[in-house]
C-alpha cells in the first residue's frame, strides 16, 4: 500500500473529495484506489446480523496488521468524532459465532465485505476504538479489495441515531452516485484523454483552418457534442453556436453552398445528416430495368452474364430490376441494350411507376418524361396497350425520349413538347398521370455534384412555384370518373421539404377533390407531417421518402393522389390573390424572360433612385459648361477655353 | 399529321416491299385493331386509329412523335426506312441473315457484312434483296441489301461483302440527334 502509487488516480480522487486536508491525501489514495460503484448500494440492503458479524471477524483477522498502519490512524480518526458506541455488546456476541462463516464470504466478494466492514466498524466502535477500527480497515485495503472511502464513514459517523436508516440510505445513495461519477471520470481520463469537453474554435481559428483533416475532426467532435449536448456542451455555449460552426465546416468539407447546406441539414438528425452527405460522395450502384416488352429478366441476365457482366437482382421489391456490379463491356452499348432489352435506369425511378401501377388499356400521361425511363416502364406495365402520352417541356430532351421509346419497342406512345402547365387545355381526362416534376436534384448529388453549389434560394423558390403549378395541372387533367384509375403520382428526385411535402400539401389545400392514398411501396420513410415551423396535413405520412444513405438509391420522394371528383373548386375571395400568383400561366422560357425583364426594371429603378439621392450640382455645372462650349464651337465656331475649377468656386 | 398521298404511298410501299414483300397487307389489315400510316413532318408513322384520333388534339408544332416511326421522305421525294421500324419488318421479313457473335459489333458500328461473319442465311435470297440481320441469338440487329445471291455467295472469299448495310440498332446511339 504505497501511499504514492497511481498518482493520476490520486489526483482525481483528491479533487473529488475535496473535504480532505492536504496531509490526509496519502490515506485517501489508499482507500480510493480500488473504489467501485456498486458497493454503497449493497450496503444498505444487507441484513443487519451478517453485517455486524463481518466487522467483528475482521477485527480479529487484522489485529496483527494494526501496527503497520499506525500512521494512518491519525488520518482516519477525524472521521469518527461523533461515532456512537451503543452496539458494542451485540457486536461482541457475534464475533465468535460467525468468524468461520464469513471467511469464505470475504474471499468471494472482497469488495463488498471490505466496504461493509468499514461502515460498521465506524459505527460500532467507540471514540477510542473508532480510530483503530478504521485503521484496521485501512490496512485491510490491499488484501481485501477494500473499501469505500471516508465519505461513507462520514455519513455513518454523523448520524448518531442508528434507527434513522432512511436518511442514511438516502445519503448513501447520493454518495454512491457521486462515486460512480468519480469512478467514471477516472476511467475515462485514463482511457480516452481527449474526452475533455470540446472547445469551439474562435472565429479566427475557424477561418484559419483550411486543412480538411482538421475540419473533419472538428466535424466529428461537434457531432459528438451535439449527440449528448447536455453533458458535453462547453459552458454556456448554445446549441446554435455548435450548429453554426458545424454547418460552416460541412460546407467547407463537402463543398456545398451555405443555403443548400442549411436546407439539407435540418431534414435529418445531426449524425444522419453526416451520413447523407457522406453517401452523396459515393456513386450509387448501376441498375438496369428489364424491358418486359422484349425479353424476360432471367433471359436478359443470362445474356449479360455471357458477356461477362456481374449482376444480381435489385431486391425483392422489383421483378424487373438488375443491379450491375462490374462489367467488362460498356453496359450502355451492348447489342442487348441497343435491341431494347433493357434500360439503364436508377433504382429510385422505378418507384413512382410502381406507385402509379398503370393498368392495361388505360390512358396515361407522363408530364415530364425525358429521357423516357419511366414512360417506357409505364408502357411495359401496360403491355403496349392503351396509350402513353409522354410530354416534356424541353425540345432537345425529347430526342432522347423518342429514341428510347422506339428502342424499347413502345408502340402506343405519343411524344409531345408542351409546357406541363398547359395540360388540361391541350388534352385531359387521363386515367393516370405521373408527374416527375423538375426539381433541384438534391437527391442525386452523387450523380451531379454541381447541384452543391449552383442552387440558390431563388432556384428553390422558382422550382417549388413551378412544381405547385404543375401538380395542379396534373390533378385537373385526370378523369376522376375513370373506372380503373383517377390517380396522380407526384415524385421528385429531391429530398428538400419545399419541393415535396410543401407542394403536396399545397395541392391538398387547393384541390379538396383529391386525397392522398398509400403509394403501395412497402419500404421507404414516411413523409413529414411537420417540419420545422411548418405543419402539414396528417395524410402526408402516406407519402414516401427515400434516402441515399438508407436505401442505397437516389434521394427520392413519391406521393400518390386519388381524384374524387372532377369539380374544380371555386376560388374563394381570400384565396384569389394567392391563386392568381400561383396559377398565372407563363411558358417556361417566357417565365425566365419575364423575370429577367422584371429584374432589369428593378435594377434601373434602383440606379435611378440612387442617382436622385446623390445629385452633384457642381459636377453638373461643369458638364453643362462643357457641352455648352461644344455647342458654341459647333454652331458659331467660338472656342472657349475650359475653365478649370472656376465653376466649383462659384458654387 | 396527315394521311399519305397516293404518290407517297407508292414510294413508301415499294421500299417496304423490298423487305417484307406482300406482308404489307398484314400491317394494314390487322386482326386486333385498325392501324394506319400517317405523315408528320416528312416522317411516316404507324399507329393505331385510336391513338391517332387522340393525338389530333396535339398541335403540329408540339407533336414530336407518335406510334412507331417507319422512316422519312427525303427532299428529293425518295423514302428512307429507319431502324425504328425494325420490330415490324423483322416480324414479317421474308429473307433473313444471321451473323456470328464476332460479326455483331462491326455491323452495329455501321459496317457492311462480310462473308466470314455470316452464320446462317435464308436459302434462295436473290441479289439486291432487302434482308433483316439477326444475331445468332435471334435478336434483330438491323437490315441491309444483299450484294450477291445466296448461291453466288458460296464461291466468294471470306472478306467479300455479302450484305450492304442499310440500318442497324447502333444508330440509336450514333444518330440520336438526326434520326428523330
Amino acid at each position: 500500500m504505497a501511499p504514492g502509487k497511481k498518482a493520476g488516480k490520486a489526483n482525481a480522487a483528491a479533487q473529488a473529495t475535496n473535504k480532505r486536508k492536504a496531509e490526509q491525501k496519502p490515506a485517501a489514495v489508499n482507500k480510493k484506489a480500488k473504489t467501485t460503484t456498486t458497493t454503497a448500494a449493497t450496503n444498505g440492503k444487507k441484513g443487519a446480523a451478517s453485517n455486524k458479524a463481518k466487522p467483528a471477524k475482521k477485527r480479529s483477522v487484522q489485529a496483527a496488521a494494526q501496527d503497520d498502519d499506525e500512521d494512518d490512524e491519525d488520518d482516519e480518526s477525524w472521521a469518527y468524532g461523533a461515532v456512537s458506541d451503543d452496539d458494542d455488546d451485540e457486536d461482541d456476541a457475534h464475533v465468535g459465532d460467525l468468524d468461520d462463516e464469513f471467511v469464505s464470504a470475504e474471499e468471494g466478494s472482497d469488495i463488498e465485505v471490505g466496504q461493509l466492514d468499514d461502515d460498521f466498524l465506524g459505527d460500532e466502535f467507540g471514540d477510542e476504538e473508532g480510530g483503530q477500527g478504521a485503521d484496521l480497515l485501512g490496512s485491510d485495503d490491499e488484501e481485501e479489495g477494500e473499501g469505500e472511502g471516508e465519505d461513507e464513514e462520514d455519513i455513518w459517523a454523523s448520524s448518531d441515531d442508528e434507527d434513522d436508516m432512511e436518511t442514511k440510505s438516502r445519503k448513501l445513495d447520493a454518495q454512491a452516485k457521486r462515486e460512480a461519477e468519480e469512478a467514471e471520470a477516472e476511467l475515462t481520463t485514463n482511457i480516452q484523454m481527449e474526452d475533455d469537453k470540446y472547445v469551439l474554435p474562435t472565429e479566427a481559428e475557424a477561418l484559419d483552418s483550411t486543412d480538411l483533416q482538421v475540419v473533419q475532426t472538428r466535424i466529428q467532435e461537434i457531432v459528438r457534442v451535439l449527440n449528448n449536448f447536455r453533458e458535453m456542451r462547453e459552458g454556456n455555449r448554445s446549441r446554435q453556436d455548435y450548429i453554426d460552426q458545424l454547418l460552416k465546416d460541412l460546407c467547407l468539407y463537402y463543398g456545398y453552398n451555405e443555403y443548400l447546406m442549411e436546407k439539407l441539414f435540418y431534414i435529418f438528425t445531426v449524425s444522419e445528416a453526416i451520413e447523407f452527405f457522406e453517401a452523396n460522395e459515393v456513386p450509387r450502384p448501376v441498375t438496369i430495368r428489364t424491358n418486359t416488352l422484349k425479353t424476360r429478366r432471367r433471359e436478359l441476365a443470362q445474356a449479360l452474364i455471357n458477356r461477362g457482366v456481374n449482376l444480381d437482382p435489385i431486391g425483392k421489391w422489383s421483378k424487373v430490376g438488375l443491379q450491375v456490379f462490374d462489367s467488362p463491356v460498356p453496359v450502355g452499348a451492348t447489342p442487348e441494350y441497343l435491341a431494347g432489352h433493357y434500360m439503364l435506369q436508377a433504382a429510385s425511378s422505378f418507384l413512382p411507376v410502381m406507385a402509379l401501377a398503370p393498368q392495361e388499356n388505360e390512358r396515361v400521361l407522363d408530364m415530364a418524361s425525358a429521357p423516357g425511363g419511366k414512360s417506357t416502364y409505364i408502357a411495359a406495365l401496360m403491355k403496349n396497350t392503351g396509350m402513353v402520352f409522354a410530354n416534356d417541356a424541353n425540345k432537345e430532351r425529347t430526342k432522347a425520349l423518342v429514341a428510347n421509346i422506339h428502342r424499347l419497342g413502345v408502340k402506343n406512345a405519343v411524344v409531345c413538347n408542351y409546357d406541363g402547365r398547359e395540360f388540361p387545355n391541350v388534352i385531359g381526362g387521363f386515367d393516370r398521370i405521373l408527374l416527375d416534376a423538375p426539381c433541384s436534384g438534391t437527391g442525386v448529388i452523387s450523380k451531379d455534384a454541381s447541384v452543391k453549389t449552383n442552387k440558390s434560394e431563388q432556384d428553390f423558390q422558382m422550382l417549388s412555384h413551378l412544381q405547385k403549378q404543375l401538380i395542379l395541372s396534373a390533378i385537373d387533367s385526370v378523369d376522376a370518373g375513370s373506372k380503373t384509375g383517377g390517380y396522380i403520382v407526384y415524385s421528385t428526385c429531391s429530398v428538400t421539404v419545399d419541393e415535396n411535402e410543401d407542394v403536396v400539401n399545397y395541392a391538398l389545400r387547393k384541390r379538396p377533390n383529391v386525397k392522398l392514398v398509400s403509394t403501395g411501396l412497402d419500404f421507404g420513410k414516411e413523409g413529414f407531417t411537420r417540419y420545422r415551423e411548418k405543419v402539414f396535413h396528417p395524410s402526408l405520412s402516406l407519402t414516401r421518402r427515400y434516402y441515399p444513405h438508407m436505401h442505397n438509391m437516389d434521394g427520392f420522394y413519391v406521393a400518390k393522389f386519388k381524384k374524387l371528383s372532377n369539380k374544380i373548386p371555386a376560388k374563394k375571395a381570400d384565396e384569389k390573390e394567392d391563386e392568381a400568383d400561383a396559377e398565372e400561366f407563363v411558358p417556361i422560357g417566357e417565365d425566365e424572360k419575364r423575370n429577367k425583364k422584371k429584374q432589369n426594371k428593378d435594377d434601373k429603378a434602383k440606379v435611378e433612385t440612387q442617382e436622385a439621392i446623390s445629385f452633384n450640382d457642381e459636377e453638373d455645372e461643369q458638364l453643362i459648361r462643357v457641352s455648352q462650349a461644344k455647342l458654341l464651337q459647333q454652331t458659331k465656331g467660338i472656342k472657349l477655353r475650359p475653365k478649370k475649377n472656376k465653376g466649383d468656386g462659384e458654387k | 399529321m396527315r394521311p399519305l398521298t397516293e404518290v407517297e404511298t407508292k414510294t413508301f410501299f415499294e421500299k417496304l416491299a423490298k423487305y417484307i414483300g406482300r406482308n404489307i397487307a398484314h400491317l394494314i389489315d390487322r386482326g386486333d385493331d385498325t392501324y394506319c400510316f400517317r405523315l408528320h413532318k416528312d416522317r411516316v408513322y404507324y399507329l393505331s386509329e385510336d391513338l391517332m384520333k387522340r393525338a389530333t388534339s396535339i398541335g403540329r408544332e408540339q407533336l414530336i412523335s407518335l406510334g412507331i416511326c417507319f422512316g422519312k421522305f427525303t427532299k428529293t421525294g425518295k423514302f428512307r426506312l429507319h431502324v425504328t421500324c425494325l420490330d415490324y419488318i423483322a416480324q414479317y421479313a421474308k429473307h433473313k441473315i444471321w451473323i456470328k457473335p464476332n460479326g455483331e459489333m462491326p455491323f452495329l458500328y455501321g459496317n457492311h457484312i462480310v462473308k466470314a461473319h455470316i452464320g446462317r442465311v435464308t436459302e434462295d435470297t436473290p441479289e439486291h434483296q432487302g434482308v433483316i440481320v439477326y444475331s445468332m441469338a435471334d435478336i434483330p440487329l438491323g437490315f441491309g441489301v444483299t450484294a450477291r445471291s445466296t448461291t453466288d455467295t458460296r464461291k466468294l472469299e471470306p472478306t467479300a461483302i455479302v450484305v450492304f448495310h442499310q440500318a442497324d440498332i447502333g444508330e440509336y446511339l450514333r444518330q440520336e440527334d438526326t434520326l428523330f
Side-chain angles (χ1 to χ4, degrees), chain A residues 387 406 411 413 415-418, chain B residues 51 59 62 64-65 67 69 88:
Chain A
M387 296 168 205
H406 280 93
K411 290 166 181 159
V415 180
C416 49
N417 172 224
Y418 277 105
Chain B
L51 195 62
Q62 286 83 11
I64 307 291
S65 145
C69 176
Y88 283 113

Side-chain angles (χ1 to χ4, degrees), chain A residues 576-623:
Chain A
K576 231 169 196 172
E577 210 177 296
D578 193 24
E579 190 102 340
D581 177 45
E583 291 202 318
E584 175 196 20
F585 164 70
V586 187
I588 285 178
E590 274 176 46
D591 204 349
E592 275 168 30
K593 271 183 224 160
R594 188 183 283 194
N595 277 346
K596 263 184 196 163
K597 260 187 202 166
K598 219 179 176 183
Q599 224 169 15
N600 282 347
K601 246 187 213 168
D602 286 353
D603 286 351
K604 267 184 199 166
K606 252 185 206 168
V607 171
E608 272 169 21
T609 49
Q610 270 174 359
E611 274 177 1
I613 292 162
S614 63
F615 248 78
N616 189 342
D617 289 345
E618 290 164 9
E619 250 177 40
D620 289 354
E621 189 74 19
Q622 242 173 346
L623 285 171

